[in-house]
Amino acid sequence: MAAHHHHEHAGASLAQAAESALVEAGEQWTDMRSDIFAVLATFEKPASAYDIADLVSQKRGKRVAPNSVYRILDLFVTTNLARRVESANAYIANSHPGCLHDCIFLICDSCGTATHIDDDALTMSVRAAAEQAGFAQVRPVIEVRGKCAGCD
């Protein structure tokens, strides 16, 4: 397996890396975006926009609409701060926001854990096959379902 190596961020380092990546993408790091990213980063499993909206609402002391959270999460996915687990319509923080590559998730059907792996050779093969079939602007998202070692 051809793995892509990078620096994994956590805690304050992750928030700083996310802010830098968003600003480098020409976007602003607002208080709302900061709050949403901070809450997203606390989840060990993919979280829905509703879960995130509830926690941000509690943190801010006023209701935050899930639609607002969805818009910001979409921006985070576009700028590589978060990844979307398509089959679960849920999101997980990208622990290396300065690094752009495709998504491969191993998703546990029992506990819901989503483990992200990098395999540039695999995703480049998927990209090449899609382009050969006439697809443009390909963004591979590969999800493998099964049971994790902890649930086996």
Side-chain angles (χ1 to χ4, degrees), residues 40 43 45-54 69-70 73 88-91:
L40 176 63
F43 284 90
K45 297 177 186 176
S48 74
Y50 291 91
D51 294 334
I52 295 165
D54 287 345
V69 173
Y70 270 118
L73 289 170
N89 192 25
Y91 301 82

Side-chain angles (χ1 to χ4, degrees), residues 31-32 57-58 70 95 101 103-105 124 129 134 139 148:
D31 288 342
M32 177 65 84
S57 295
Q58 290 173 21
Y70 270 118
S95 60
H101 50 82
C103 293
I104 303 172
F105 286 109
M124 289 305 288
R139 182 184 63 92
C148 70

Side-chain angles (χ1 to χ4, degrees), residues 9-114:
H9 294 278
S13 169
L14 177 57
Q16 290 169 341
E19 180 177 357
S20 293
L22 193 64
V23 170
E24 285 176 23
E27 298 288 343
Q28 294 181 358
W29 186 255
T30 63
D31 288 342
M32 177 65 84
R33 290 173 180 177
S34 176
D35 287 349
I36 289 173
F37 188 82
V39 167
L40 176 63
T42 65
F43 284 90
E44 291 187 16
K45 297 177 186 176
S48 74
Y50 291 91
D51 294 334
I52 295 165
D54 287 345
L55 291 175
V56 172
S57 295
Q58 290 173 21
K59 180 177 183 176
R60 294 184 143 233
K62 62 181 179 180
R63 185 179 178 277
V64 174
N67 283 344
S68 298
V69 173
Y70 270 118
R71 281 192 296 276
I72 292 172
L73 289 170
D74 286 343
L75 172 66
F76 287 173
V77 169
T78 301
T79 55
N80 204 36
L81 303 186
R83 295 191 169 93
R84 183 169 185 258
V85 178
E86 305 284 340
S87 63
N89 192 25
Y91 301 82
I92 194 161
N94 179 1
S95 60
H96 42 91
C99 184
L100 180 61
H101 50 82
D102 298 313
C103 293
I104 303 172
F105 286 109
L106 306 176
I107 304 166
C108 181
D109 288 327
S110 294
C111 70
T113 298

Side-chain angles (χ1 to χ4, degrees), residues 106-130:
L106 306 176
I107 304 166
C108 181
D109 288 327
S110 294
C111 70
T113 298
T115 302
H116 176 260
I117 60 171
D118 297 323
D119 187 330
D120 292 335
L122 175 62
T123 57
M124 289 305 288
S125 293
V126 171
R127 282 178 174 275

